[in-house]
Amino acid sequence: VGFRLANVYDLDAKTFVLKLSKSGGATATGESEKALLLIESGVRIHTTAYAREKSESPSGVTLKVRKHVRTRRLEAVRQVGADRIVQLTFSRGEGEHHLFLELYSQGNVVLCDREMNVLTLLRSHRDDARGFAVMPNHAYPLEHFRPRTAAS
């Protein structure tokens, strides 16, 4: 939290790296503090020091995330309810965007605007039994996820 998104890279179809930097937070060498956040859809999210080989051309998801979120400050990281979904919130107010990382089943990476409308996503899906769909230009269905209770 407090880092700005410097860039986004995709390593393969389901793996992304967010390059984050902290302005004004100089290290002992005088450089700004940097972090690499590795996201593997459906599997993991963690920081890494290891630089990986990037794909030659960015995917559509990567281009959309760059367009809407690059240079924005990471304001919050939270778990959505009791589900395996991590929400990264960039900026506040008019320029606020949310990156949802679904860490179950096939996983997903979903970029939403401040009204929680889906701008882009890794894969569309629907759950007819629960009555919702995750698709571009639709609201992200936060109300359909398991709420956090005292026991969870």
Side-chain angles (χ1 to χ4, degrees):
V1 177
F3 284 80
R4 287 195 182 275
L5 182 66
N7 215 340
V8 180
Y9 305 99
D10 44 1
L11 306 181
D12 60 42
K14 292 180 60 175
T15 310
F16 303 87
V17 172
L18 276 58
K19 183 177 176 183
L20 303 163
S21 65
K22 189 172 258 184
S23 54
T27 62
T29 61
E31 295 180 14
S32 63
E33 190 177 349
K34 292 181 174 48
L36 297 173
L37 186 65
L38 181 87
I39 299 166
E40 187 174 357
S41 179
V43 180
R44 61 187 170 150
I45 175 176
H46 60 83
T47 57
T48 182
Y50 178 68
R52 291 167 168 79
E53 192 68 31
K54 303 168 192 81
S55 66
E56 290 196 19
S57 61
S59 67
V61 171
T62 299
L63 291 173
K64 272 282 209 195
V65 172
R66 285 179 183 176
K67 175 183 176 183
H68 292 284
V69 186
R70 188 164 44 186
T71 73
R72 306 266 184 203
R73 184 180 307 279
L74 179 61
E75 297 287 351
V77 177
R78 72 178 191 93
Q79 180 182 357
V80 176
D83 278 306
R84 289 172 287 167
I85 301 172
V86 177
Q87 177 183 359
L88 305 177
T89 301
F90 290 91
S91 296
R92 295 275 187 216
E94 288 295 316
E96 183 174 309
H97 286 82
H98 305 274
L99 193 62
F100 291 94
L101 314 170
E102 298 177 355
L103 299 172
Y104 51 81
S105 184
Q106 297 173 14
N108 210 354
V109 176
V110 183
L111 177 66
C112 296
D113 61 15
R114 67 182 259 213
E115 285 86 28
M116 296 301 172
N117 294 313
V118 176
L119 300 173
T120 191
L121 68 167
L122 199 55
R123 65 178 191 87
S124 296
H125 64 92
R126 64 182 325 125
D127 186 340
D128 292 327
R130 291 174 53 197
F132 73 88
V134 179
M135 312 170 87
N137 303 316
H138 287 75
Y140 189 69
L142 284 172
E143 67 278 359
H144 290 283
F145 299 114
R146 295 179 301 152
R148 185 178 296 272
T149 61
S152 60

